[in-house]
C-alpha cells in the first residue's frame, strides 16, 4: 500500500489528483484561480504517513506568476478518501517563499519529476 501511495504522489501532479477528486463548484473555482496564477510549476511530493483511508504528504513546488516573479511553495497535506476512493477531505498548510530565478532547484521540463532528480529529502 505504501508503495502505491508513494507512486501516486510522484506520478500525478496535485492538479490532476484534485481535479478528479473534487466535484463541487467552490473547490473547482478555487483551483481554477490557483492554476491561472501559479504558472509552469514543478512539484515534488513525498509520502509522510498513511493509515486506512488517510494519507499525509509533504511537498515543495516552484512556480512563477504572470509578472515573472518566482516562488517556492512548501508544506504538508492530509487527505481522507471515501469508500469509493474519492477525496472526501483535504487539509493543507502551504507557505509561499519568493525566490530569485537563479535560486530555483527544479529545472526539468513540465510534467512528472525525472527519476534521477533528487527527492525532497535529498534536497
Amino acid at each position: 500500500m505504501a508503495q502505491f501511495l508513494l507512486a501516486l504522489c510522484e506520478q500525478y501532479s496535485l492538479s490532476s489528483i484534485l481535479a478528479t477528486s473534487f466535484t463541487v463548484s467552490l473547490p473547482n473555482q478555487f483551483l481554477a484561480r490557483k492554476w491561472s496564477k501559479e504558472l509552469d510549476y514543478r512539484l515534488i511530493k513525498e509520502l509522510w504517513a498513511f493509515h486506512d483511508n488517510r494519507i499525509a504528504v509533504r511537498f515543495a513546488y516552484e512556480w512563477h506568476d504572470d509578472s515573472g516573479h518566482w516562488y517556492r511553495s512548501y508544506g504538508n497535506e492530509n487527505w481522507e478518501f471515501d469508500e469509493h476512493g474519492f477525496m472526501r477531505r483535504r487539509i493543507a498548510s502551504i507557505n509561499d517563499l519568493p525566490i530569485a530565478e537563479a535560486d530555483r532547484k527544479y529545472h526539468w521540463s513540465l510534467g512528472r519529476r525525472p527519476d534521477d532528480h533528487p527527492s525532497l529529502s535529498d534536497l
Side-chain angles (χ1 to χ4, degrees):
M1 178 67 151
Q3 295 217 345
F4 167 77
L5 293 173
L6 185 55
L8 176 70
C9 291
E10 283 294 318
Q11 182 68 30
Y12 297 100
S13 69
L14 177 64
S15 60
S16 64
I17 292 170
L18 295 179
T20 59
S21 299
F22 284 106
T23 57
V24 295
S25 63
L26 186 57
N28 286 334
Q29 291 170 0
F30 167 77
L31 293 172
R33 283 193 312 272
K34 175 181 174 59
W35 296 329
S36 67
K37 175 185 172 190
E38 296 178 356
L39 306 174
D40 296 328
Y41 76 87
R42 299 341 187 249
L43 170 70
I44 298 178
K45 280 193 181 214
E46 289 186 351
L47 179 66
W48 184 256
F50 71 94
H51 181 71
D52 294 333
N53 65 334
R54 295 178 177 174
I55 65 173
V57 298
R58 62 190 207 108
F59 64 88
Y61 64 96
E62 293 177 347
W63 58 279
H64 68 85
D65 61 18
D66 59 2
S67 298
H69 298 105
W70 281 93
Y71 299 86
R72 184 172 302 118
S73 299
Y74 59 92
N76 301 292
E77 289 180 279
N78 301 311
W79 302 336
E80 181 179 70
F81 298 91
D82 67 16
E83 63 277 1
H84 303 289
F86 290 102
M87 189 180 298
R88 174 178 19 214
R89 184 181 331 176
R90 173 183 176 252
I91 301 169
S93 174
I94 305 170
N95 301 290
D96 296 328
L97 175 68
I99 60 172
E101 186 171 2
D103 294 332
R104 292 180 54 218
K105 296 180 181 183
Y106 313 152
H107 296 280
W108 64 85
S109 299
L110 285 178
R112 183 181 180 278
R113 175 175 61 98
D115 291 336
D116 61 348
H117 191 281
S119 69
L120 196 53
S121 293
D122 292 335
L123 293 173

